[in-house]
Amino acid sequence: MKMQIKEFAELTGVSVRTLHYYDEIGLLSPAYVDEHTGYRFYDDNSILRMQEILFYRELDFSLKSIGEILSSKNYDKTKALAEQKKLLILKKERLERLISAIDRATKGENVMNAFDNNEFEKYKQEAQEKWGNTDAYKEYADKTKNYSKNNWQNMTDGLNDIIAEFSVCMKNGNKPDSDEAQNLVKMLQNHITETCYTCTKEILAGLGQMYVYDERFKNNIDRNGEGSAEFISNAIAIYCTK
């Protein structure tokens, strides 16, 4: 099966913009590119690769970690697909439990047990331990292993506060290369290093691109103001080239 990029995007549920980004970072390249037209084509192997990428995204792995995992010579595609199937079955069972709970809740029944997600979280943790053999993930796991609920909340709140400040900076008429914006990039880099893992300029640059190429990140950031994701991405790009 051969598909142009738009067909492949529709089939996989990933935007064309994201596919371009995946190609840029070497995570998923087209099967071939027509040298005359520049059209990108994907095939059955591309579908399998995307399945594997989506599997790890479901487990909250970073794109950098996914790339390292998939390029490892010890990587077993068959096992990865089997793990994906197990994950989907667990999600299916949870959705069915929640649907049933809604029916019971309309009758006035107590359905709090329907929100128990321990089995899925346990499996997720096992998968991360099995596949998370990257330096960044190991550092992240070690740094956060004893985090309390407050630690996680502070980490998230800190990140959200910085993003909100970026939005204010943009709305005040500052440019991505302004001192104000560049100081916020440094603040973002320090926050990630202090709470997650060592955020090198290479990693930071990748995050900056992801903020605009990954629709989920872009939409979430732009809730602070339309164009915030692009503003942050441009500011990071400038910072990382200094």
Side-chain angles (χ1 to χ4, degrees):
M1 180 189 298
K2 294 180 181 178
M3 295 164 282
Q4 289 191 19
I5 190 169
K6 185 176 180 181
E7 297 174 286
F8 187 70
E10 291 175 351
L11 176 66
T12 59
V14 176
S15 70
V16 170
R17 197 175 188 181
T18 297
L19 290 174
H20 280 292
Y21 177 53
Y22 284 2
D23 185 22
E24 285 180 23
I25 64 176
L27 187 59
L28 174 64
S29 299
Y32 73 95
V33 179
D34 190 304
E35 60 181 13
H36 300 294
T37 63
Y39 290 161
R40 301 164 183 242
F41 291 88
Y42 295 81
D43 58 15
D44 291 337
N45 288 331
S46 305
I47 295 174
L48 291 176
R49 176 83 170 186
M50 179 57 78
Q51 287 177 334
E52 293 165 338
I53 293 170
L54 294 176
F55 162 58
Y56 290 111
R57 291 305 304 274
E58 288 287 345
L59 295 176
D60 298 329
F61 280 79
S62 69
L63 294 180
K64 178 178 173 60
S65 294
I66 294 172
E68 292 177 1
I69 292 168
L70 297 183
S71 62
S72 171
K73 54 186 178 180
N74 297 322
Y75 181 64
D76 189 325
K77 290 185 178 182
T78 302
K79 284 185 178 180
L81 290 175
E83 296 287 351
Q84 183 185 31
K85 179 180 178 180
K86 184 175 180 181
L87 173 66
L88 292 173
I89 289 173
L90 287 174
K91 285 196 167 185
K92 173 176 175 288
E93 291 174 349
R94 183 166 189 266
L95 286 174
E96 289 175 342
R97 188 167 70 249
L98 289 172
I99 291 171
S100 175
I102 290 174
D103 291 336
R104 289 186 285 118
T106 59
K107 300 175 183 178
E109 297 181 28
N110 185 334
V111 295
M112 288 306 299
N113 61 339
F115 298 96
D116 182 7
N117 203 26
N118 289 337
E119 186 177 1
F120 173 74
E121 289 301 327
K122 179 182 178 182
Y123 166 68
K124 177 178 172 179
Q125 181 178 352
E126 290 174 352
Q128 288 175 332
E129 290 173 353
K130 181 183 295 182
W131 301 108
N133 294 318
T134 61
D135 291 339
Y137 182 77
K138 287 177 181 176
E139 183 181 358
Y140 169 78
D142 183 62
K143 186 169 288 188
T144 61
K145 63 183 178 182
N146 294 320
Y147 267 21
S148 65
K149 185 177 180 179
N150 285 337
N151 289 139
W152 287 111
Q153 190 63 52
N154 290 336
M155 179 178 72
T156 302
D157 289 346
L159 181 60
N160 289 336
D161 287 346
I162 295 171
I163 290 175
E165 288 189 50
F166 268 113
S167 181
V168 172
C169 180
M170 177 188 70
K171 292 174 182 176
N172 286 340
N174 293 295
K175 301 297 183 183
D177 62 351
S178 66
D179 289 341
E180 291 81 358
Q182 292 300 295
N183 287 336
L184 286 174
V185 175
K186 181 62 177 176
M187 188 184 300
L188 175 64
Q189 184 184 33
N190 289 340
H191 179 71
I192 295 172
T193 296
E194 291 169 4
T195 60
C196 297
Y197 48 78
T198 302
C199 186
T200 63
K201 281 192 173 182
E202 179 185 4
I203 292 176
L204 185 62
L207 289 173
Q209 290 182 313
M210 185 174 66
Y211 290 162
V212 291
Y213 283 110
D214 189 308
E215 293 298 327
R216 291 175 298 180
F217 279 93
K218 182 178 183 299
N219 293 337
N220 187 52
I221 292 173
D222 278 352
R223 288 189 300 178
N224 293 275
E226 189 67 28
S228 294
E230 185 173 359
F231 180 84
I232 296 173
S233 179
N234 290 337
I236 290 175
I238 293 169
Y239 177 87
C240 291
T241 56
K242 289 181 179 179

PDB file of all heavy atoms in Angstrom, residues 19 25 37 50 73 89 101 128 199 224 232:
ATOM      1  N   LEU A  19       3.563  14.997  10.941  1.00  0.00           N
ATOM      2  CA  LEU A  19       4.341  14.053  10.130  1.00  0.00           C
ATOM      3  C   LEU A  19       5.605  14.721   9.590  1.00  0.00           C
ATOM      4  O   LEU A  19       6.671  14.095   9.534  1.00  0.00           O
ATOM      5  CB  LEU A  19       3.492  13.511   8.983  1.00  0.00           C
ATOM      6  CG  LEU A  19       2.363  12.556   9.389  1.00  0.00           C
ATOM      7  CD1 LEU A  19       1.505  12.200   8.184  1.00  0.00           C
ATOM      8  CD2 LEU A  19       2.923  11.286  10.024  1.00  0.00           C
ATOM      9  N   ILE A  25      12.900  15.114  12.745  1.00  0.00           N
ATOM     10  CA  ILE A  25      13.681  14.598  13.882  1.00  0.00           C
ATOM     11  C   ILE A  25      14.085  13.142  13.690  1.00  0.00           C
ATOM     12  O   ILE A  25      14.689  12.538  14.578  1.00  0.00           O
ATOM     13  CB  ILE A  25      12.896  14.760  15.202  1.00  0.00           C
ATOM     14  CG1 ILE A  25      11.618  13.915  15.202  1.00  0.00           C
ATOM     15  CG2 ILE A  25      12.585  16.230  15.463  1.00  0.00           C
ATOM     16  CD1 ILE A  25      10.854  13.961  16.526  1.00  0.00           C
ATOM     17  N   THR A  37       8.545  15.612  -7.981  1.00  0.00           N
ATOM     18  CA  THR A  37       7.432  16.394  -7.443  1.00  0.00           C
ATOM     19  C   THR A  37       7.626  16.782  -5.978  1.00  0.00           C
ATOM     20  O   THR A  37       6.992  17.720  -5.486  1.00  0.00           O
ATOM     21  CB  THR A  37       6.116  15.603  -7.552  1.00  0.00           C
ATOM     22  OG1 THR A  37       6.215  14.418  -6.738  1.00  0.00           O
ATOM     23  CG2 THR A  37       5.851  15.196  -8.999  1.00  0.00           C
ATOM     24  N   MET A  50       4.291   3.842  12.835  1.00  0.00           N
ATOM     25  CA  MET A  50       3.413   4.798  13.506  1.00  0.00           C
ATOM     26  C   MET A  50       2.675   4.141  14.668  1.00  0.00           C
ATOM     27  O   MET A  50       2.487   4.750  15.720  1.00  0.00           O
ATOM     28  CB  MET A  50       2.405   5.378  12.508  1.00  0.00           C
ATOM     29  CG  MET A  50       1.435   6.380  13.133  1.00  0.00           C
ATOM     30  SD  MET A  50       2.247   7.781  13.938  1.00  0.00           S
ATOM     31  CE  MET A  50       2.662   8.773  12.495  1.00  0.00           C
ATOM     32  N   LYS A  73      19.154  -1.670  19.069  1.00  0.00           N
ATOM     33  CA  LYS A  73      19.333  -2.962  18.398  1.00  0.00           C
ATOM     34  C   LYS A  73      18.657  -4.089  19.175  1.00  0.00           C
ATOM     35  O   LYS A  73      18.453  -5.179  18.642  1.00  0.00           O
ATOM     36  CB  LYS A  73      20.816  -3.266  18.214  1.00  0.00           C
ATOM     37  CG  LYS A  73      21.660  -3.206  19.456  1.00  0.00           C
ATOM     38  CD  LYS A  73      23.123  -3.391  19.116  1.00  0.00           C
ATOM     39  CE  LYS A  73      24.006  -3.277  20.355  1.00  0.00           C
ATOM     40  NZ  LYS A  73      25.433  -3.463  20.031  1.00  0.00           N
ATOM     41  N   ILE A  89      -6.674  -3.270  25.280  1.00  0.00           N
ATOM     42  CA  ILE A  89      -7.676  -4.096  25.950  1.00  0.00           C
ATOM     43  C   ILE A  89      -8.017  -3.508  27.315  1.00  0.00           C
ATOM     44  O   ILE A  89      -9.184  -3.426  27.710  1.00  0.00           O
ATOM     45  CB  ILE A  89      -7.176  -5.551  26.097  1.00  0.00           C
ATOM     46  CG1 ILE A  89      -7.150  -6.229  24.718  1.00  0.00           C
ATOM     47  CG2 ILE A  89      -8.069  -6.331  27.062  1.00  0.00           C
ATOM     48  CD1 ILE A  89      -6.523  -7.609  24.737  1.00  0.00           C
ATOM     49  N   ALA A 101     -21.094   2.447  34.465  1.00  0.00           N
ATOM     50  CA  ALA A 101     -21.231   3.277  35.665  1.00  0.00           C
ATOM     51  C   ALA A 101     -22.184   4.439  35.427  1.00  0.00           C
ATOM     52  O   ALA A 101     -22.939   4.827  36.314  1.00  0.00           O
ATOM     53  CB  ALA A 101     -19.860   3.796  36.096  1.00  0.00           C
ATOM     54  N   GLN A 128       7.004   1.055  31.146  1.00  0.00           N
ATOM     55  CA  GLN A 128       8.035   2.073  31.223  1.00  0.00           C
ATOM     56  C   GLN A 128       9.337   1.491  31.765  1.00  0.00           C
ATOM     57  O   GLN A 128      10.426   1.841  31.311  1.00  0.00           O
ATOM     58  CB  GLN A 128       7.558   3.230  32.095  1.00  0.00           C
ATOM     59  CG  GLN A 128       6.485   4.072  31.419  1.00  0.00           C
ATOM     60  CD  GLN A 128       5.934   5.144  32.318  1.00  0.00           C
ATOM     61  OE1 GLN A 128       5.928   5.009  33.536  1.00  0.00           O
ATOM     62  NE2 GLN A 128       5.449   6.208  31.727  1.00  0.00           N
ATOM     63  N   CYS A 199      17.838  19.519  30.893  1.00  0.00           N
ATOM     64  CA  CYS A 199      17.266  20.047  29.651  1.00  0.00           C
ATOM     65  C   CYS A 199      18.353  20.755  28.853  1.00  0.00           C
ATOM     66  O   CYS A 199      18.571  21.961  29.001  1.00  0.00           O
ATOM     67  CB  CYS A 199      16.101  20.994  29.951  1.00  0.00           C
ATOM     68  SG  CYS A 199      15.226  21.545  28.482  1.00  0.00           S
ATOM     69  N   ASN A 224      -3.858  29.886  26.464  1.00  0.00           N
ATOM     70  CA  ASN A 224      -3.403  31.120  27.120  1.00  0.00           C
ATOM     71  C   ASN A 224      -3.507  32.325  26.197  1.00  0.00           C
ATOM     72  O   ASN A 224      -3.378  33.459  26.640  1.00  0.00           O
ATOM     73  CB  ASN A 224      -1.940  30.963  27.569  1.00  0.00           C
ATOM     74  CG  ASN A 224      -1.777  29.943  28.665  1.00  0.00           C
ATOM     75  OD1 ASN A 224      -1.943  30.256  29.833  1.00  0.00           O
ATOM     76  ND2 ASN A 224      -1.459  28.707  28.299  1.00  0.00           N
ATOM     77  N   ILE A 232       6.365  30.897  21.744  1.00  0.00           N
ATOM     78  CA  ILE A 232       7.312  30.172  22.599  1.00  0.00           C
ATOM     79  C   ILE A 232       8.297  29.390  21.747  1.00  0.00           C
ATOM     80  O   ILE A 232       9.510  29.382  22.007  1.00  0.00           O
ATOM     81  CB  ILE A 232       6.564  29.218  23.554  1.00  0.00           C
ATOM     82  CG1 ILE A 232       5.685  30.027  24.519  1.00  0.00           C
ATOM     83  CG2 ILE A 232       7.553  28.361  24.340  1.00  0.00           C
ATOM     84  CD1 ILE A 232       4.783  29.164  25.384  1.00  0.00           C
TER      85      ILE A 232
END
